[in-house]
Amino acid sequence: MTVLHWFRRDLRLTDNRALAAALTDAKQTGETLIPVFVLDSALLDANRAGGTPRAAFMRNALISLDTTLRARGSHLVMQAGDPAQIIPHIVAESGARVVYANRDYSPYARHRDAAVQAALGNRFHLLDDALLIAPEQIATQNDTPYTVYTPFKKTWWDIPKAAPDEQPYAFSPLPEIASDSIPDASDPRFATTLDLPEASETAAQQTLADFIAGPIFNYGVHRDQLAVAGTSRLSPYLRFGLLSIRVAYAAAQQALKAAPDDATRQSVATWISELAWREFYTHIMFHFPHVMHGNFRREYDDLQWHDDPAALNAWKMGQTGYPVVDAGMRQLWQTGWMHNRARMITTSFLTKDLLIDWRAGERHFMQHLIDGDPAANNGGWQWSAGTGTDAQPYFRIFNPVTQSKKFDPDGTYIRRWVTELRNVPTRFIHTPWQMDAPPAAYPPPIVNHAAARERTLAAFKIIKD
Ligand SMILES: Cc1cc2nc3c(=O)[nH]c(=O)nc-3n(C[C@H](O)[C@H](O)[C@H](O)COP(=O)(O)OP(=O)(O)OC[C@H]3O[C@@H](n4cnc5c(N)ncnc54)[C@H](O)[C@@H]3O)c2cc1C
């Protein structure tokens, strides 16, 4: 008999709840632990992750995982197809007694896991791992899910959180089991021309260590400055579980203790609050799965969005004529990551200046973001669109010029990504259309912000009244 650990978005061999439970179980009975990954054909089709930089990053993470397992005498068993068929098949082939996996909270994953559960019954064990606080662990006094971030965070903050488990995991050689090899980098589902961050546990831990050693203490000041590398860049690692959230949180707690004064302590606390945002949006997706397709606030279902393919395309290509918007959009498709402040500016521009349905933008982000996560992306988009959990949503309309002046004062970020504007003097960098002779290669604004603002306020007011 054997014990299976099914890896999904937990591609690591340290502080991994289900993997630890599977190894303990196998050890007690002297069984072999079989590490499994399924290349889920539904997730890798062209409408979802197939062909995205995120899929390429995941492929690299799988190579790294397999390499580490091999160094420890095991290897990754991989098969492609529908997990609801493949997992029971591997169970039958390997004579597995039980299957362990970490919970994934998206509607798709829950549906998938229910199908596997139906096939395996009580031989399928799901554990909480990806969050510090699982959705069932937190509720309002009325026993309902929190729908507003600030009170959520207050309660979340005080709930004791598990420390990382530092036990080393030991593996043993596998019996003969059919396994596909990890797809080649030329496979169109995993091909990319981007220069991706290294996808390994070691790289994840190093990125955390670098951040905790210094930048976290200035996070409060630097995190909004577009040209400063002031954030952790941990998002792809947390997305695929190359880094344990408990390890990240414990490191931040150490930093909190080490912080020399109030300002640096506040910076660390602000970073921990971002981890709370990650948990909040995952809980929202779990409790209100309709957000994956529609507005969190259903009253906005009647909002009249504009169908404007040309404007949508200009936004995607970073050709709106608003330099800071275009810089963000080009950073996205040229690197697979976008600064959080730029995510807020570009999403506000699409939904409020162009009045284009947030779902079109959400899809585009999911196609390009290496950290693309259904809950965080959806939460971010609905926050910007004003259709989400936020209490005072609709009159928040970012002025792209004001944002640009505030968060990229000398235009360094703009010049880096919008190279046509590299030589524009700083006094015109946020508004090149005001120059006597703007650079010919750069388009004029596709919309007048003041007029667009009025149009949006009117569209939202119809719903409010
Ligand atoms: C429209 C929009 C879409 C977004 N889409 C995603 C996405 O698909 N995946 C994703 O991980 N984040 C998303 N975010 C949140 C945020 O922009 C990124 O997490 C952050 O920019 C990643 O960089 P970092 O790791 O350096 O973050 P840091 O500032 O160092 O934050 C640390 C970690 O906290 C989490 N986090 C930070 N901010 C948020 C937030 N607002 N919501 C949820 N989690 C957060 C991330 O896991 C991040 O790695 C989105 C934000 C917006 C406004």
Side-chain angles (χ1 to χ4, degrees), residues 158-176:
D158 292 336
I159 300 177
K161 309 195 180 48
D165 172 9
E166 278 159 17
Q167 65 163 317
Y169 301 156
F171 297 88
S172 46
L174 306 189
E176 193 67 26

Side-chain angles (χ1 to χ4, degrees), residues 219 231-235 271 274 340 343 347 371-373 377:
Y219 182 76
T231 68
S232 71
R233 302 297 291 252
L234 284 171
S235 52
W271 192 72
E274 298 305 320
N340 180 61
R343 295 189 203 202
T347 53
D371 65 26
D373 170 84
N377 192 40

